[in-house]
């Protein structure tokens, strides 16, 4: 299955923040939408970074709660790995496993068009495994 198919199924809405808004704004959005990360993009939709709940926790542990009033630019990861619509679920899984992160923005022509989370990947892998098991059962029963 491709990233394109996942986005067609789940939708391509992505919550973004700008790097000059504050960390507490990002925290409020993460809590409100019950998600783990926000893509940091500029007004043109170009990806500038990603801020995950882990970044916030780590900076609070290291620098204290004062970071909540700092700019998102100070805690985000600027070197973001992205994928295209043509990546497969397996390729996305490999990128996430290697990079040890759970979110992958999807880019087309330099612009953000969606985000894939580890939850999206696991859901499709379970469905795929279930489908294969059903096909094997049907094959055995009718052979
Ligand atoms: P996560 O597991 O996605 O919550 O993120 C764990 C760490 O990886 C955090 O420091 C994130 O900022 C960073 N991170 C998350 N997604 C990406 C990505 N696609 N590319 C690079 N770093 C990322």
């Amino acid at each position: 299955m491709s990233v394109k198919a996942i986005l067609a199924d789940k939708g391509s809405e992505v919550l973004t923040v700008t790097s000059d808004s504050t960390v507490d704004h990002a925290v409020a959005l993460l809590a409100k939408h019950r998600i783990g990360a926000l893509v940091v993009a500029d007004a043109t939709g170009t990806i500038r970074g990603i801020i995950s709940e882990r970044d916030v926790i780590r900076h609070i542990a290291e620098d204290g709660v004062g970071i909540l009033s700092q700019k998102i630019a100070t805690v985000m990861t600027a070197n973001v790995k992205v994928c295209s619509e043509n990546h497969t679920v397996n390729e996305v899984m490999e990128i996430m496993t290697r990079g040890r992160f759970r979110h992958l923005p999807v880019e087309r022509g330099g612009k953000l068009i969606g985000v894939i989370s580890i939850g999206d990947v696991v859901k499709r892998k379970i469905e795929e495994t279930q489908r294969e098991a059903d096909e094997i059962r049907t094959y055995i029963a009718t052979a």
Side-chain angles (χ1 to χ4, degrees):
M1 183 181 251
S2 66
V3 165
K4 190 174 192 169
I6 296 178
L7 291 184
D9 181 35
K10 74 165 230 177
S12 53
E13 193 204 347
V14 193
L15 276 166
T16 61
V17 283
T18 53
S19 61
D20 61 351
S21 55
T22 54
V23 175
D24 58 3
H25 173 60
V27 167
L29 283 176
L30 291 171
K32 182 177 175 197
H33 296 278
R34 295 173 179 272
I35 53 173
L38 294 158
V39 177
V40 184
D42 65 21
T44 70
T46 304
I47 300 169
R48 298 291 177 204
I50 190 160
I51 176 169
S52 140
E53 54 198 0
R54 290 194 178 171
D55 298 317
V56 178
I57 294 293
R58 197 178 65 248
H59 277 83
I60 287 176
E62 287 171 2
D63 309 321
V65 291
I67 65 112
L68 292 171
S69 55
Q70 298 287 307
K71 289 191 172 157
I72 285 172
T74 60
V75 310
M76 72 181 193
T77 301
N79 185 14
V80 192
K81 294 272 184 302
V82 299
C83 69
S84 80
E85 296 164 288
N86 301 324
H87 277 81
T88 64
V89 172
N90 285 347
E91 286 169 339
V92 164
M93 217 162 61
E94 196 181 322
I95 295 170
M96 287 181 177
T97 306
R98 276 206 194 148
R100 295 171 174 264
F101 47 69
R102 301 165 294 176
H103 301 88
L104 202 54
V106 187
E107 218 179 45
R108 186 201 296 142
K111 302 288 175 220
L112 176 66
I113 58 156
V115 69
I116 301 291
S117 76
I118 191 81
D120 298 323
V121 171
V122 170
K123 181 171 184 275
R124 268 67 187 189
K125 285 307 283 183
I126 290 171
E127 285 169 1
E128 193 180 289
T129 306
Q130 189 66 54
R131 206 169 35 246
E132 281 171 8
D134 289 347
E135 281 167 12
I136 290 168
R137 266 190 223 103
T138 306
Y139 174 74
I140 291 168
T142 57

PDB file of all heavy atoms in Angstrom, residues 56-68:
ATOM      1  N   VAL A  56       9.025  18.603  23.827  1.00  0.00           N
ATOM      2  CA  VAL A  56       8.557  19.461  24.926  1.00  0.00           C
ATOM      3  C   VAL A  56       8.987  18.864  26.266  1.00  0.00           C
ATOM      4  O   VAL A  56       9.556  19.561  27.112  1.00  0.00           O
ATOM      5  CB  VAL A  56       7.020  19.625  24.870  1.00  0.00           C
ATOM      6  CG1 VAL A  56       6.546  20.481  26.044  1.00  0.00           C
ATOM      7  CG2 VAL A  56       6.584  20.236  23.542  1.00  0.00           C
ATOM      8  N   ILE A  57       8.753  17.558  26.432  1.00  0.00           N
ATOM      9  CA  ILE A  57       9.114  16.895  27.700  1.00  0.00           C
ATOM     10  C   ILE A  57      10.621  17.019  27.958  1.00  0.00           C
ATOM     11  O   ILE A  57      11.051  17.345  29.060  1.00  0.00           O
ATOM     12  CB  ILE A  57       8.721  15.390  27.658  1.00  0.00           C
ATOM     13  CG1 ILE A  57       7.197  15.222  27.582  1.00  0.00           C
ATOM     14  CG2 ILE A  57       9.305  14.621  28.851  1.00  0.00           C
ATOM     15  CD1 ILE A  57       6.467  15.671  28.821  1.00  0.00           C
ATOM     16  N   ARG A  58      11.424  16.760  26.904  1.00  0.00           N
ATOM     17  CA  ARG A  58      12.874  16.800  27.083  1.00  0.00           C
ATOM     18  C   ARG A  58      13.352  18.193  27.488  1.00  0.00           C
ATOM     19  O   ARG A  58      14.152  18.349  28.411  1.00  0.00           O
ATOM     20  CB  ARG A  58      13.577  16.347  25.799  1.00  0.00           C
ATOM     21  CG  ARG A  58      15.035  15.975  26.040  1.00  0.00           C
ATOM     22  CD  ARG A  58      15.741  15.469  24.800  1.00  0.00           C
ATOM     23  NE  ARG A  58      15.879  16.472  23.763  1.00  0.00           N
ATOM     24  CZ  ARG A  58      15.250  16.436  22.596  1.00  0.00           C
ATOM     25  NH1 ARG A  58      14.420  15.440  22.317  1.00  0.00           N
ATOM     26  NH2 ARG A  58      15.419  17.381  21.692  1.00  0.00           N
ATOM     27  N   HIS A  59      12.797  19.221  26.829  1.00  0.00           N
ATOM     28  CA  HIS A  59      13.224  20.588  27.146  1.00  0.00           C
ATOM     29  C   HIS A  59      12.731  21.032  28.520  1.00  0.00           C
ATOM     30  O   HIS A  59      13.432  21.774  29.203  1.00  0.00           O
ATOM     31  CB  HIS A  59      12.761  21.551  26.053  1.00  0.00           C
ATOM     32  CG  HIS A  59      13.695  21.570  24.880  1.00  0.00           C
ATOM     33  ND1 HIS A  59      13.633  20.645  23.869  1.00  0.00           N
ATOM     34  CD2 HIS A  59      14.747  22.364  24.598  1.00  0.00           C
ATOM     35  CE1 HIS A  59      14.597  20.891  22.995  1.00  0.00           C
ATOM     36  NE2 HIS A  59      15.286  21.926  23.411  1.00  0.00           N
ATOM     37  N   ILE A  60      11.563  20.570  28.932  1.00  0.00           N
ATOM     38  CA  ILE A  60      11.096  20.910  30.287  1.00  0.00           C
ATOM     39  C   ILE A  60      12.042  20.264  31.308  1.00  0.00           C
ATOM     40  O   ILE A  60      12.449  20.900  32.282  1.00  0.00           O
ATOM     41  CB  ILE A  60       9.630  20.453  30.514  1.00  0.00           C
ATOM     42  CG1 ILE A  60       8.683  21.359  29.731  1.00  0.00           C
ATOM     43  CG2 ILE A  60       9.286  20.475  32.012  1.00  0.00           C
ATOM     44  CD1 ILE A  60       7.213  20.953  29.806  1.00  0.00           C
ATOM     45  N   ALA A  61      12.411  19.003  31.054  1.00  0.00           N
ATOM     46  CA  ALA A  61      13.311  18.296  31.980  1.00  0.00           C
ATOM     47  C   ALA A  61      14.674  18.985  32.052  1.00  0.00           C
ATOM     48  O   ALA A  61      15.259  19.104  33.127  1.00  0.00           O
ATOM     49  CB  ALA A  61      13.469  16.840  31.531  1.00  0.00           C
ATOM     50  N   GLU A  62      15.159  19.455  30.891  1.00  0.00           N
ATOM     51  CA  GLU A  62      16.513  20.047  30.853  1.00  0.00           C
ATOM     52  C   GLU A  62      16.539  21.522  31.253  1.00  0.00           C
ATOM     53  O   GLU A  62      17.466  21.972  31.926  1.00  0.00           O
ATOM     54  CB  GLU A  62      17.092  19.911  29.440  1.00  0.00           C
ATOM     55  CG  GLU A  62      17.493  18.473  29.115  1.00  0.00           C
ATOM     56  CD  GLU A  62      17.855  18.295  27.645  1.00  0.00           C
ATOM     57  OE1 GLU A  62      17.834  19.274  26.874  1.00  0.00           O
ATOM     58  OE2 GLU A  62      18.132  17.142  27.259  1.00  0.00           O
ATOM     59  N   ASP A  63      15.508  22.272  30.835  1.00  0.00           N
ATOM     60  CA  ASP A  63      15.564  23.737  30.995  1.00  0.00           C
ATOM     61  C   ASP A  63      14.483  24.298  31.906  1.00  0.00           C
ATOM     62  O   ASP A  63      14.482  25.504  32.175  1.00  0.00           O
ATOM     63  CB  ASP A  63      15.436  24.414  29.611  1.00  0.00           C
ATOM     64  CG  ASP A  63      16.409  23.831  28.603  1.00  0.00           C
ATOM     65  OD1 ASP A  63      17.556  23.547  28.989  1.00  0.00           O
ATOM     66  OD2 ASP A  63      16.027  23.642  27.433  1.00  0.00           O
ATOM     67  N   GLY A  64      13.507  23.471  32.285  1.00  0.00           N
ATOM     68  CA  GLY A  64      12.419  23.961  33.141  1.00  0.00           C
ATOM     69  C   GLY A  64      11.215  24.423  32.338  1.00  0.00           C
ATOM     70  O   GLY A  64      11.275  24.543  31.112  1.00  0.00           O
ATOM     71  N   VAL A  65      10.127  24.728  33.049  1.00  0.00           N
ATOM     72  CA  VAL A  65       8.865  25.062  32.377  1.00  0.00           C
ATOM     73  C   VAL A  65       8.898  26.415  31.658  1.00  0.00           C
ATOM     74  O   VAL A  65       7.987  26.731  30.880  1.00  0.00           O
ATOM     75  CB  VAL A  65       7.667  25.029  33.365  1.00  0.00           C
ATOM     76  CG1 VAL A  65       7.373  23.614  33.816  1.00  0.00           C
ATOM     77  CG2 VAL A  65       7.915  25.938  34.556  1.00  0.00           C
ATOM     78  N   GLY A  66       9.972  27.177  31.923  1.00  0.00           N
ATOM     79  CA  GLY A  66      10.129  28.464  31.233  1.00  0.00           C
ATOM     80  C   GLY A  66      10.139  28.317  29.718  1.00  0.00           C
ATOM     81  O   GLY A  66       9.789  29.264  28.999  1.00  0.00           O
ATOM     82  N   ILE A  67      10.483  27.139  29.241  1.00  0.00           N
ATOM     83  CA  ILE A  67      10.542  26.960  27.771  1.00  0.00           C
ATOM     84  C   ILE A  67       9.153  27.058  27.135  1.00  0.00           C
ATOM     85  O   ILE A  67       9.022  27.255  25.937  1.00  0.00           O
ATOM     86  CB  ILE A  67      11.220  25.627  27.347  1.00  0.00           C
ATOM     87  CG1 ILE A  67      10.406  24.424  27.789  1.00  0.00           C
ATOM     88  CG2 ILE A  67      12.651  25.555  27.786  1.00  0.00           C
ATOM     89  CD1 ILE A  67       9.812  23.692  26.627  1.00  0.00           C
ATOM     90  N   LEU A  68       8.112  26.918  27.967  1.00  0.00           N
ATOM     91  CA  LEU A  68       6.756  26.989  27.420  1.00  0.00           C
ATOM     92  C   LEU A  68       6.450  28.358  26.801  1.00  0.00           C
ATOM     93  O   LEU A  68       5.615  28.466  25.905  1.00  0.00           O
ATOM     94  CB  LEU A  68       5.724  26.654  28.505  1.00  0.00           C
ATOM     95  CG  LEU A  68       5.735  25.194  28.972  1.00  0.00           C
ATOM     96  CD1 LEU A  68       4.845  25.000  30.185  1.00  0.00           C
ATOM     97  CD2 LEU A  68       5.288  24.261  27.847  1.00  0.00           C
TER      98      LEU A  68
END
